[in-house]
Amino acid sequence: MEMQEFASGETWRVFRIMSEFVEGFESLKNLGPAITIFGSARTKRDDGSYKTTLKVAEMLARRGFAIISGGGPGIMEAANRGARLGKGVSVGLNIQLPAEQKPNRYQNKSLIFRHFFARKVMFVKYASGYVIMPGGVGTLDEFFESLTLIQTGKIRRFPVVLMGRKYWEGLIRWMEHTLVEEGTISPDDLNLFYLTDRPDDAVEYIVKFHRDSIPPSGERRKMSPLPPLESHNE
């Protein structure tokens, strides 16, 4: 009897997981080109990383990208807030946690997930690029997962930008002097991401990456996934 109840509970859990995927797919299917921004929930509003995120998100929104974040405070709030300042679509993929995450108020499209893995699928499925701000374990998880998926060809290559040289250089040196030297990654794997401190540099890298990947006009899809060109005279 106990085994039957356990099996029944697991079956219903599968349906709950399916419902999260279905809701995510239906809600985001017409989103258009989007950039997912990751970073620490603990970052304060007067922190330099918060202000940088605000600027990057605003600039990307003005270039035609929707902005996706985890929906919470800190860097996530700055990303959604910047999207609103840039008159763009601001998406929050919120997660239910034991110490409940409070959704920030800058989202105009909001989803709530119980399962991290369903949420992570949405982060990458609808992204035209990642911006990785200073963050903790969750941010590192998203960064290395993106490299894994690109490296193994499970997703198309897209721009992955690390923001903050001082914060990330130690990690990159370790990757270069330990992982590469030990042969666990190839030197070319270090070219899967781009490191900068400047918001305008990050935005131009993302935009240029996508423009360079546009096929000749006769080979394009009916709907281009790229944002419109922005006039430098504006």
Side-chain angles (χ1 to χ4, degrees), residues 80-150:
N80 291 129
R81 185 179 176 185
R84 295 282 290 272
L85 287 172
K87 310 299 182 184
V89 179
S90 176
V91 181
L93 305 183
N94 302 269
I95 186 74
Q96 293 180 353
L97 298 173
E100 187 173 356
Q101 172 181 300
K102 183 179 179 181
N104 70 67
R105 62 190 178 93
Y106 299 102
Q107 307 168 47
N108 51 34
K109 185 182 288 288
S110 180
L111 294 170
I112 299 177
F113 294 85
R114 291 182 62 183
H115 301 94
F116 270 111
F117 55 84
R119 180 180 182 239
K120 289 175 75 173
V121 169
M122 303 305 154
F123 278 138
V124 70
K125 178 175 175 60
Y126 294 98
S128 299
Y130 276 5
V131 175
I132 313 289
M133 302 299 301
V137 173
T139 304
L140 288 168
D141 177 43
E142 299 293 354
F143 170 56
F144 281 112
E145 182 179 52
S146 69
L147 300 188
T148 301
L149 293 172
I150 294 170

Side-chain angles (χ1 to χ4, degrees), residues 32-107:
I35 302 298
T36 300
I37 299 179
F38 297 104
S40 176
R42 303 178 186 184
T43 304
K44 305 302 182 184
R45 291 181 179 177
D46 60 354
D47 190 282
S49 294
Y50 185 101
K51 296 173 183 178
T52 297
T53 305
L54 198 68
K55 185 64 175 177
V56 169
E58 180 182 358
M59 293 175 69
L60 286 168
R62 293 192 185 280
R63 301 297 285 266
F65 291 98
I67 301 297
I68 302 173
S69 88
I75 294 298
M76 295 176 280
E77 177 188 286
N80 291 129
R81 185 179 176 185
R84 295 282 290 272
L85 287 172
K87 310 299 182 184
V89 179
S90 176
V91 181
L93 305 183
N94 302 269
I95 186 74
Q96 293 180 353
L97 298 173
E100 187 173 356
Q101 172 181 300
K102 183 179 179 181
N104 70 67
R105 62 190 178 93
Y106 299 102
Q107 307 168 47

